[in-house]
Amino acid sequence: MTYIEQLGSNAKAAETAAASASASTKNRALAAVSKALYDNMELIIRENAKDLRAAAENGMSESMQDRLRLDEKRIAGMAKGVDEIINLSDPVGDIISGCTRPNGLRIVKTRVPLGVIGIIFESRPNVTVDAAALCLKAGNAVILKGGKEAINSNICLCNIMRSAVESAGLPADVIQLVEQTSREATAELMRLNQYLDVLIPRGGSGLIKAVVNQATVPVIETGTGNCHVYVDSSADLEMAVNIVDNGKTSRPSVCNAVESLLVHRDCAEKFLPMIVERFRAHNVKIYGCERTAAILGDSVEIATDEEYAKEFLDYIISVRVVDSVDEALAHIRKFGTHHSECIVTNSLNNAAKFQREADAAAVYVNASTRFTDGGEFGLGAEIGISTQKLHARGPMGLNELTTVKYLINGDGQIR
């Protein structure tokens, strides 16, 4: 049995305990995880520092190093996220619907765990805790495969969580980490059909594409966010500046950050200099169309389809001046990734049209795309943002980590 197969076997053995655990048992395990994160802050930061040193030596960008970094505030935030999951209702056993058939059969549709979940993700080690806590609360066993750039942080976090859940009476193997960082280990995990019920990739477009193309295990696609803000002709421009700036610069390395800005021609000459002035604090680089360059000058590099399609994850943005809401929507249909889209407008008609026609998991009117997040949506932490339409869409919380089972009771009926 290979190393990856052993992890799968361990998870399968722990699956029943996770699925049958009471809400109080799962909450007790999660409370132990939260406390352990606080108690081990110094150890976590020390192990994270090893990853940060390696990242700097390997030339990782500042924005990507920010994704990797853990400090007391972020660790406390991770623990708070676990506490929020404790306070959420346990979905396992919820009755979705029921009926009594004419032949007397009583049929109930109820929520049950997915089973064993594999999660492949990149540099953000907070995902290690978010994913494990959500999977546990929903009654699943999980195998985590983080990127090699966060290996020390992830091993530390996983060991802390395993000890915590074991202290609460659950098998440590409800949470496991693939400690091998090779591509071969990742490839084997993608084909672990005997043990995995579903595989969830969380990261950049390259990772997600590789998993979707190579996996034989069922995949829920998440993450890639070429998110747009369209500033309509009727927009409150000060509001638009705040929304675009927040979407682009508050944390550019995350999937709900704004990557593309579309501006109606009637307000472009006034709005574009306003947003550029705000962008100066972060030296945001702009790729734009000819009309954008005519307004802003030589600081703009002419954008191609490559820039309009790109998820920059950095202080870079693509800009296009458009003639109408229809042209903005056509641009989004061509280049969007079905994640999050926003219109800033005072037109009820254009707001309704945009929300109706923009094909994305989350469509905003007059609010930042940065709210596309499980915590902000009241779901607690999240596994990721699903950009597909099956089996889940948008922020994936507890309900999205369950499936259904039909329970049928009779008194001797035959067909």
Side-chain angles (χ1 to χ4, degrees):
M1 182 176 287
T2 68
Y3 168 71
I4 297 297
E5 288 173 335
Q6 186 63 60
L7 294 180
S9 178
N10 295 345
K12 208 67 179 174
E15 177 185 8
T16 300
S20 61
S22 66
S24 60
T25 297
K26 291 184 287 188
N27 286 342
R28 188 167 63 249
L30 291 171
V33 168
S34 177
K35 182 178 185 300
L37 291 172
Y38 280 111
D39 291 346
N40 290 278
M41 274 192 180
E42 290 185 8
L43 174 62
I44 296 167
I45 291 171
R46 189 163 62 247
E47 293 302 303
N48 180 246
K50 297 177 183 178
D51 294 326
L52 289 171
R53 282 195 297 272
E57 291 169 1
N58 292 327
M60 181 184 285
S61 70
E62 287 293 331
S63 63
M64 295 303 291
Q65 288 184 49
D66 179 63
R67 288 168 66 93
L68 179 59
R69 183 172 290 105
L70 292 177
D71 54 24
E72 288 189 2
K73 182 178 179 181
R74 288 187 178 177
I75 296 168
M78 290 156 56
K80 182 182 177 184
V82 175
D83 292 336
E84 289 173 353
I85 293 170
I86 293 172
N87 293 327
L88 295 174
S89 296
D90 186 346
V92 177
D94 281 355
I95 294 174
I96 300 168
S97 63
C99 67
T100 300
R101 300 295 297 152
N103 62 4
L105 285 178
R106 299 176 298 282
I107 302 175
V108 172
K109 184 179 181 181
T110 186
R111 289 195 184 278
V112 295
L114 283 170
V116 179
I117 299 175
I119 303 176
I120 300 177
F121 57 99
E122 292 179 321
S123 61
R124 294 170 63 190
N126 63 294
V127 175
T128 306
V129 175
D130 290 351
L134 280 168
C135 287
L136 175 56
K137 178 80 177 203
N140 301 289
V142 64
I143 301 175
L144 302 159
K145 174 66 174 70
K148 64 181 180 180
E149 66 278 1
I151 187 62
N152 294 291
S153 305
N154 289 338
I155 290 174
C156 179
L157 290 168
C158 192
N159 287 339
I160 288 169
M161 290 189 292
R162 284 170 57 83
S163 295
V165 300
E166 196 168 36
S167 73
L170 288 174
D173 287 341
V174 298
I175 301 171
Q176 294 182 96
L177 176 77
V178 178
E179 296 185 11
Q180 292 182 356
T181 59
S182 67
R183 290 186 178 181
E184 291 75 18
T186 304
E188 188 176 357
L189 186 65
M190 294 182 199
R191 299 189 296 269
L192 205 62
N193 295 66
Q194 182 180 352
Y195 300 110
L196 287 186
D197 292 288
V198 68
L199 187 61
I200 304 172
R202 178 169 173 173
S205 59
L207 168 70
I208 293 167
K209 184 178 180 180
V211 173
V212 170
N213 289 341
Q214 296 177 34
T216 56
V217 176
V219 174
I220 300 176
E221 186 174 346
T222 72
T224 305
N226 185 11
C227 304
H228 299 75
V229 174
Y230 166 55
V231 180
D232 195 25
S233 58
S234 66
D236 178 323
L237 298 188
E238 288 291 343
M239 178 194 290
V241 167
N242 290 334
I243 288 172
V244 175
D245 181 50
N246 177 258
K248 179 70 266 180
T249 69
S250 63
R251 200 169 181 193
S253 61
V254 293
C255 64
N256 58 21
V258 170
E259 304 289 19
S260 297
L261 171 62
L262 306 172
V263 184
H264 194 281
R265 65 183 181 188
D266 290 350
C267 62
E269 288 194 16
K270 185 173 182 181
F271 176 75
L272 287 174
M274 292 170 65
I275 191 60
V276 166
E277 183 61 31
R278 184 69 70 87
F279 280 166
R280 290 190 199 284
H282 295 279
N283 296 315
V284 176
K285 182 175 182 178
I286 296 175
Y287 289 95
C289 63
E290 297 284 354
R291 288 196 283 187
T292 303
I295 295 169
L296 297 178
D298 294 341
S299 62
V300 174
E301 290 194 29
I302 298 301
T304 66
D305 282 2
E306 180 180 355
E307 282 79 41
Y308 284 129
K310 191 168 186 179
E311 184 187 30
F312 296 109
L313 301 175
D314 205 344
Y315 291 109
I316 306 170
I317 195 167
S318 64
V319 181
R320 184 179 175 187
V321 177
V322 297
D323 293 331
S324 66
V325 65
D326 287 305
E327 188 177 349
L329 286 164
H331 181 97
I332 290 168
R333 278 193 292 273
K334 182 175 181 179
F335 297 109
T337 54
H338 313 292
H339 190 297
S340 300
E341 310 295 355
C342 168
I343 182 173
V344 184
T345 185
N346 281 318
S347 165
L348 289 175
N349 286 338
N350 283 353
K353 178 182 179 67
F354 191 88
Q355 287 194 310
R356 184 172 61 249
E357 296 184 18
D359 184 10
V363 184
Y364 294 82
V365 174
N366 297 337
S368 172
T369 61
R370 291 280 285 110
F371 286 104
T372 305
D373 174 87
E376 296 294 338
F377 279 22
L379 306 177
E382 69 182 36
I383 287 293
I385 311 295
S386 172
T387 54
Q388 64 183 43
K389 299 179 182 179
L390 298 174
H391 126 97
R393 198 177 197 198
M396 292 181 59
L398 293 175
N399 284 349
E400 288 72 31
L401 295 177
T402 64
T403 184
V404 300
K405 178 188 284 187
Y406 287 91
L407 306 178
I408 305 95
N409 287 277
D411 49 14
Q413 289 89 338
I414 59 174
R415 184 175 179 182

